[in-house]
Amino acid sequence: MGKRSRDKARQNAAQNAAASPDGVSPRQPCPCGSGLRYRSCHGSATGAPPRLVTRPFAGLAAECDLVALRELVPAATAPLPLVTPGERDVLLATLLPVAAPAMVRDNGTVWLGLQVQHAYGDPSRDLGAVLEAALVAEPGQMVGLTDAPGEGPRLQELVVDEPLDITVHEGFEYWIADVDDDSSGVAAALEQANQVASPTARLTSVTAAYWTAMGSKEHLRWVMPHDEEVLLSALARLHLAGEDRLVADSRLVGMFRAHSLLAPVWDLPAGTGAEVLEEPAARFATALDEAMTALTEGAEPLTTEERSARHGLANRQVTIR
């Protein structure tokens, strides 16, 4: 190794040692296993990882749909009205090209992405920071986060608290729908992205329920806002009574847990589609509310058989986040 190389190596080692006494470079993954860079976790000014917010969208009328769009739905968009309207419109999207947190289109519209690669403990705060930066960025720019955003407004403080007007798309053509001639190369990524976009439809009779087809199989995934303990008990009661079948040969097979909300999952017969689920889903929602009310008021505690069914459902959960 030449003198210049040795000097450079010593300089790099000195910089790393000064920035991180334990020998970890600020840009390396934190040894704690959080998945964050060291400088954004235990190497931050506070010496601790960001506070984890387990239910980041709590309090918003669109909480369940936000969780579904972030974790379950491949391609969807919704206008996002701001508490303080400005000159720029904001469009919320499940996924943007290269998983960008935000893009400012040539016409000034801000596209805000939900499915991103960073995770700093509070997705609502992350979205708030990205949104604020995008609102003042130049058209044509991508906006993102390379470090934890720190203190500042969360999504709840920036947007109008109302249900989202969601459009579910067959694919990601909305990436280039506002341009006449795509010179950015985004169109080249569409074919690959569309190959992994499972057909999806949002039910209109209930909130945050999404039919999807994956290969030859069909499912309904329904994000629910209820207390987990009460919801599990009510689902068990309806399951044991055979009242959880939405259509013939459908089956409640388990549930996802995402951002502290449960999303029950039904397997459906091939060819079911979304339309025929509207009335059964609304009927099931009513039965579920009645079952939860009876349990909450203590009028009808679970029987031994229902407790066993509840245990079975609890064991068929997959935590996404």
Side-chain angles (χ1 to χ4, degrees), residues 21 47 70 91 112-113 115 119 126 153 171 195 199 240 281:
R70 182 176 166 87
L91 185 73
L112 184 65
Q115 298 176 17
D126 295 350
Q195 288 176 353
L240 193 63

Side-chain angles (χ1 to χ4, degrees), residues 55 224-232 262 292:
R55 192 168 173 177
M224 297 182 173
H226 315 296
D227 175 82
E228 179 175 332
E229 297 301 315
V230 178
L231 176 58
L232 272 175
L262 291 184
M292 287 192 295

Side-chain angles (χ1 to χ4, degrees), residues 5 12 25 68 82 94 109 116 134 141 155 166 177 186 200 238 240 257 266 299 316:
S5 297
N12 289 340
S25 170
L82 303 182
T94 50
T109 300
V116 295
Q141 287 189 344
L155 194 66
I166 296 170
V186 172
T200 303
L238 296 178
L240 193 63
R257 180 191 289 107
W266 282 262
R316 297 202 297 272

Side-chain angles (χ1 to χ4, degrees), residues 153-221:
R154 305 173 73 239
L155 194 66
Q156 285 89 332
E157 302 167 60
L158 298 175
V159 304
V160 176
D161 185 17
E162 62 185 21
L164 295 173
D165 182 13
I166 296 170
T167 300
V168 176
H169 303 275
E170 293 183 3
F172 296 95
E173 280 74 17
Y174 65 85
W175 287 355
I176 57 172
D178 62 340
V179 296
D180 296 327
D181 179 24
D182 175 47
S183 58
S184 65
V186 172
L190 281 176
E191 182 177 356
Q192 181 178 359
N194 285 339
Q195 288 176 353
V196 296
S198 302
T200 303
R202 181 176 183 267
L203 271 59
T204 59
S205 60
V206 294
T207 300
Y210 292 82
W211 166 90
T212 188
M214 298 181 177
S216 61
K217 297 183 178 180
E218 296 185 26
H219 312 280
L220 181 73
R221 300 181 294 188

Side-chain angles (χ1 to χ4, degrees), residues 11-208:
Q11 181 182 3
N12 289 340
Q15 289 175 345
N16 286 342
S20 48
D22 55 6
V24 182
S25 170
R27 292 183 176 274
Q28 289 180 336
C30 188
C32 77
S34 66
L36 302 177
R37 290 181 179 178
Y38 179 77
R39 69 184 185 188
S40 299
C41 194
H42 281 84
S44 66
T46 62
R51 181 173 63 93
L52 178 64
V53 178
T54 58
R55 192 168 173 177
F57 307 119
L60 287 170
E63 179 187 15
C64 293
D65 275 312
L66 285 168
V67 171
L69 297 183
R70 182 176 166 87
E71 305 297 343
L72 302 174
V73 179
T77 56
L80 195 64
L82 303 182
V83 172
T84 306
E87 296 180 355
R88 291 181 170 177
D89 295 329
V90 180
L91 185 73
L92 188 69
T94 50
L95 181 67
L96 297 179
V98 298
M103 305 174 68
V104 184
R105 308 299 286 179
D106 290 340
N107 64 2
T109 300
V110 172
W111 288 6
L112 184 65
L114 283 167
Q115 298 176 17
V116 295
Q117 296 178 358
H118 63 248
Y120 294 109
D122 182 1
S124 180
R125 170 62 191 130
D126 295 350
L127 285 165
V130 171
L131 177 56
E132 284 197 313
L135 288 172
V136 297
E138 294 295 325
Q141 287 189 344
M142 287 190 179
V143 178
L145 295 175
T146 56
D147 292 293
E151 298 297 325
R154 305 173 73 239
L155 194 66
Q156 285 89 332
E157 302 167 60
L158 298 175
V159 304
V160 176
D161 185 17
E162 62 185 21
L164 295 173
D165 182 13
I166 296 170
T167 300
V168 176
H169 303 275
E170 293 183 3
F172 296 95
E173 280 74 17
Y174 65 85
W175 287 355
I176 57 172
D178 62 340
V179 296
D180 296 327
D181 179 24
D182 175 47
S183 58
S184 65
V186 172
L190 281 176
E191 182 177 356
Q192 181 178 359
N194 285 339
Q195 288 176 353
V196 296
S198 302
T200 303
R202 181 176 183 267
L203 271 59
T204 59
S205 60
V206 294
T207 300

